[in-house]
Amino acid sequence: MFKKPFHTKPRTNIRSSSTRGIAQETRKQFPNAWDPAIQLNKDDANKSGDDLVAPVPDKLQAAKFVSHVGDKGEIFYDEAGEPLWLKAEVSGSESTQVLVPTVYTQWMFPTILPVLFTSAHVVEKLIGGADLMVPGLLVPESGLPDLSKGSIVAIGCPGSLAAQAIGILTFDTKNVKSVGGVKGKAVLVTHTYKDCLWESGSKKELPIIIPSDIGSNQTADDIHTDPASHVIGSSVDDSVNADEAPLETSEGAINNSNNDNTNTNTAISSDEMDDLLFTTLKQVMATVLGQDIALPLLPIVASTLYSTYMVPNSPKGKEIDIKGSNFKKLAKFLKAADKRGLLKLKEIRGEMYVKSFDWGHQEMVQYTPYIVAPAKDGLASANKDQPQTSQGSRKDSGGIIIEELFKPSRALVPLFEDIGAQTETGFFTRKQVRSVLEDYIKSRDLVDAKNSQFVKLDHRLCDGLLTKEEYSSMTVIRRDQLHTRTQEAMTLYTRVTVPGKEAKLRTGNPPTVDIICEKKMGNKVVTRVIGLEAYGIDPAEIAKELRTLCASSTTIDPVPGKKNEHSVLVQGHQVSAVTKLLDSRCKLPERLLTVVDKTGKAKKAKNKN
């Protein structure tokens, strides 16, 4: 909430009655803060009751604020200007207004909030603006404290009770003994050490607060440092909602789909795991991703190939594990498969894709597929129906498939994660993008009560769609404009599949074939055709047929500045003849043709795309 500077009004002294009301609310919600015993430690042993600091001092100052994501509320300061309490609308919380102590208050009253622990490198991500994900939790042997969804919790590192972040818990933690294999958000972070709210105070450094039950022979480093006492996770970017994630309790794993696939890999060596990985890859190529099925799906994201296709197709009774192999990383394994000739890799904008498979490889010819266990929901196996062409693709005459695909930008990824939207390839069709956005609006109740054509902007929509200037001025937006902005903010990809050719993925709109009619010296009119190679069309063949069809001479010339691309030049104004030939012989639809007439017969260029 305070990752970036927030807008605030001047501080004002609040009345005594309002101060007493805040004190009463904190007594009810945070009774430990008012327990004198929690302030009595070895440094305060001589303090009397009158000397103790109150969680809510007699004199308070308040300032209304609006965060950079649009969350509104009040900050309560003491006379010295230290922010002590925060009352605000917290995005993702079921409550309209939540009273939250700042890290300064938690440092004075360490037991005011239950503390959840995470590792130091995860804390760095939290300070950078991320929420705490379930895999990032460190769970003691005794399990997590018994807390209900919506509880306010502190987040710290083992060895100290000092909060480095404070937020709202997203799930019930009763009987949770482990979070292994669970994904989703654990805590919606409201405020952190070193954020802009912390900077508005005294900027105290993080203290080390030793729990009161530590013996004299223990140090802060002894707390929860046994590797066997907790599950360590490093992910802060998983995309499954915590509400949907199964949690392991003391009674056993509940709703955990992995329970029906007991891992029987006993003492398997890394060399054996290497062989198992290659066997599973060949199984996928021979069954789930056969040539007829895979072509419309290529290129496939490397991680999707592994998680969606390889994992559920491992041999029955065995489970593949890339970390148990000599490769250790998926990229190294796939590069080895590339070198072996089973597939071809391609890197697109820093992400690795499988460009093609070699089904005619000698190993594939000699390979005999095995029967795998029934696939779990959402996973592909050889025993399930084969995947269909992705929704939103258009198959034109002649089998050319043009697919418009969208990929969320970095700013929009959290919105898609919150709603649990995901596809096998990581791309979305235009229809799917609209559906995801409508589901998000409905789940967050963002429809304007006064006018259903308008949508209220929450922090996710603001981060993904608004400019800095619009942050403080826009609170609602028309629904149609919201859809338009969302698609414009996403990266557009086009996948073109030509019969008998590998599917090609490129950013932006599909390539067009340019038909340019222009005058040469002596008012001689010629028609030039450029861009045939993009659709696997041989310029020499087109030139030969145009020579007969138009009864005119034709030539083939290299296109300046474009490697391996040629233009076909035919004498005369032959736009109509070229268009009909490309449609009838090459099955190239008119919308992929761009016609430019420079002879004066047309007033302006005509784009039929």
Side-chain angles (χ1 to χ4, degrees):
M1 185 183 294
F2 299 101
K3 173 187 174 182
K4 297 180 181 179
F6 53 94
H7 300 283
T8 181
K9 292 186 177 180
R11 301 176 196 171
T12 58
N13 295 322
I14 62 176
R15 294 178 297 179
S16 299
S17 58
S18 298
T19 303
R20 288 194 296 271
I22 297 171
Q24 185 69 20
E25 189 174 351
T26 59
R27 282 180 186 273
K28 182 178 179 181
Q29 193 171 347
F30 309 102
N32 284 350
W34 294 87
D35 184 355
I38 68 171
Q39 294 187 61
L40 294 176
N41 53 41
K42 63 183 181 181
D43 295 325
D44 302 324
N46 297 324
K47 284 187 178 180
S48 65
D50 295 336
D51 295 327
L52 297 176
V53 178
V56 180
D58 295 333
K59 294 183 179 180
L60 276 181
Q61 295 179 334
K64 292 185 177 181
F65 76 92
V66 178
S67 73
H68 74 284
V69 295
D71 292 329
K72 301 177 181 179
E74 278 187 295
I75 303 171
F76 300 105
Y77 298 83
D78 63 12
E79 285 187 299
E82 197 86 299
L84 301 179
W85 296 91
L86 165 71
K87 194 168 189 178
E89 303 170 356
V90 179
S91 300
S93 172
E94 296 179 354
S95 304
T96 54
Q97 290 249 315
V98 181
L99 185 65
V100 180
T102 66
V103 291
Y104 292 115
T105 301
Q106 195 275 344
W107 295 346
M108 289 190 291
F109 307 94
T111 61
I112 188 175
L113 297 173
V115 181
L116 301 180
F117 293 100
T118 189
S119 53
H121 74 278
V122 174
V123 168
E124 293 177 5
K125 300 289 186 180
L126 303 185
I127 293 175
D131 291 323
L132 177 62
M133 310 305 290
V134 174
L137 286 171
L138 303 184
V139 184
E141 287 183 347
S142 57
L144 293 175
D146 186 0
L147 302 172
S148 58
K149 179 181 178 181
S151 298
I152 301 172
V153 295
I155 303 169
C157 289
S160 174
L161 291 179
Q164 299 199 48
I166 293 174
I168 311 296
L169 192 65
T170 63
F171 64 96
D172 296 329
T173 60
K174 185 177 181 180
N175 296 328
V176 174
K177 304 293 184 181
S178 171
V179 293
V182 182
K183 299 179 180 179
K185 293 185 178 182
V187 179
L188 302 175
V189 174
T190 302
H191 159 52
T192 69
Y193 166 58
K194 288 190 176 180
D195 66 5
C196 291
L197 179 59
W198 171 85
E199 289 182 349
S200 70
S202 60
K203 301 182 181 180
K204 290 180 181 177
E205 290 301 317
L206 181 73
I208 297 178
I209 303 175
I210 307 299
S212 58
D213 57 354
I214 295 180
S216 58
N217 60 342
Q218 289 179 301
T219 66
D221 294 333
D222 296 325
I223 309 172
H224 299 308
T225 55
D226 179 8
S229 68
H230 49 250
V231 177
I232 300 178
S234 61
S235 172
V236 292
D237 296 312
D238 292 283
S239 58
V240 181
N241 288 333
D243 293 341
E244 301 170 357
L247 295 177
E248 185 178 332
T249 66
S250 58
E251 287 81 9
I254 298 177
N255 295 330
N256 194 333
S257 60
N258 290 330
N259 289 346
D260 58 1
N261 186 23
T262 305
N263 182 13
T264 59
N265 291 351
T266 56
I268 184 170
S269 68
S270 56
D271 291 337
E272 291 173 326
M273 182 59 71
D274 292 351
D275 294 336
L276 186 59
L277 286 168
F278 280 110
T279 300
T280 306
L281 174 61
K282 288 184 283 187
Q283 171 75 10
V284 170
M285 292 172 59
T287 56
V288 183
L289 290 179
Q291 188 168 0
D292 294 338
I293 299 165
L295 281 177
L297 299 175
L298 292 171
I300 296 176
V301 181
S303 58
T304 300
L305 172 67
Y306 181 77
S307 61
T308 304
Y309 295 100
M310 290 183 62
V311 171
N313 283 283
S314 55
K316 189 175 181 179
K318 296 183 179 180
E319 185 176 330
I320 60 173
D321 180 11
I322 196 70
K323 292 186 177 180
S325 68
N326 289 313
F327 303 108
K328 303 301 181 186
K329 293 183 179 180
L330 179 60
K332 290 186 177 180
F333 164 67
L334 292 177
K335 287 178 181 178
D338 187 326
K339 187 175 181 180
R340 203 155 157 173
L342 290 169
L343 51 81
K344 292 294 181 184
L345 296 176
K346 183 178 182 180
E347 189 170 310
I348 303 176
R349 293 195 171 187
E351 190 167 14
M352 186 172 291
Y353 287 77
V354 175
K355 180 183 176 182
S356 63
F357 296 102
D358 185 2
W359 291 277
H361 193 278
Q362 184 178 358
E363 291 187 35
M364 292 301 301
V365 174
Q366 298 173 353
Y367 178 74
T368 303
Y370 51 79
I371 298 176
V372 300
K376 304 176 182 65
D377 291 341
L379 299 178
S381 81
N383 300 333
K384 295 193 73 174
D385 294 336
Q386 305 297 359
Q388 304 297 321
T389 302
S390 60
Q391 183 183 12
S393 65
R394 295 186 294 276
K395 187 172 182 179
D396 294 296
S397 59
I400 295 178
I401 300 174
I402 307 295
E403 297 174 274
E404 285 185 337
L405 304 173
F406 295 85
K407 194 167 188 179
S409 62
R410 185 176 298 179
L412 283 174
V413 166
L415 187 151
F416 279 71
E417 290 179 348
D418 284 354
I419 203 67
Q422 53 186 338
T423 61
E424 289 182 355
T425 60
F427 296 102
F428 296 83
T429 64
R430 194 180 297 272
K431 185 176 180 180
Q432 288 172 333
V433 173
R434 291 184 65 88
S435 178
V436 168
L437 196 55
E438 288 296 332
D439 290 345
Y440 184 83
I441 293 171
K442 184 177 179 181
S443 65
R444 300 299 188 273
D445 193 23
L446 297 178
V447 178
D448 192 353
K450 296 180 181 179
N451 189 340
S452 60
Q453 294 183 355
F454 285 83
V455 176
K456 294 181 287 186
L457 294 170
D458 67 353
H459 70 294
R460 294 294 188 215
L461 295 174
C462 288
D463 282 347
L465 305 177
L466 299 188
T467 63
K468 292 182 179 180
E469 293 74 18
E470 292 173 331
Y471 256 115
S472 57
S473 60
M474 288 187 66
T475 57
V476 295
I477 189 173
R478 285 184 63 88
R479 191 185 294 259
D480 56 347
Q481 293 177 353
L482 182 63
H483 283 290
T484 301
R485 283 199 182 204
T486 302
Q487 292 178 8
E488 289 176 348
M490 299 178 74
T491 304
L492 171 64
Y493 289 81
T494 303
R495 183 159 56 200
V496 180
T497 305
V498 179
K501 303 288 183 179
E502 291 184 359
K504 293 185 178 180
L505 185 71
R506 55 171 286 163
T507 56
N509 292 308
T512 60
V513 174
D514 298 329
I515 304 173
I516 304 170
C517 201
E518 56 190 349
K519 287 184 179 181
K520 290 293 186 180
M521 293 178 61
N523 286 333
K524 191 175 182 179
V525 177
V526 295
T527 303
R528 189 184 302 274
V529 186
I530 304 173
L532 295 170
E533 291 89 347
Y535 295 98
I537 303 172
D538 185 0
E541 291 293 330
I542 294 299
K544 181 179 179 181
E545 295 207 23
L546 284 175
R547 191 179 307 124
T548 302
L549 182 65
C550 304
S552 301
S553 63
T554 59
T555 57
I556 301 175
D557 301 315
V559 178
K562 294 187 178 181
K563 188 178 180 180
N564 299 327
E565 189 168 333
H566 296 80
S567 66
V568 176
L569 190 70
V570 58
Q571 301 295 329
H573 195 290
Q574 308 294 354
V575 171
S576 178
V578 172
T579 303
K580 289 179 181 179
L581 176 63
L582 294 178
D583 181 24
S584 60
R585 183 189 180 282
C586 307
K587 307 301 182 185
L588 197 66
E590 269 194 76
R591 63 188 187 86
L592 296 178
L593 306 180
T594 299
V595 178
V596 179
D597 195 332
K598 299 180 179 181
T599 63
K601 291 185 177 182
K603 292 183 179 180
K604 59 180 180 180
K606 182 180 179 183
N607 189 338
K608 296 186 179 181
N609 185 23

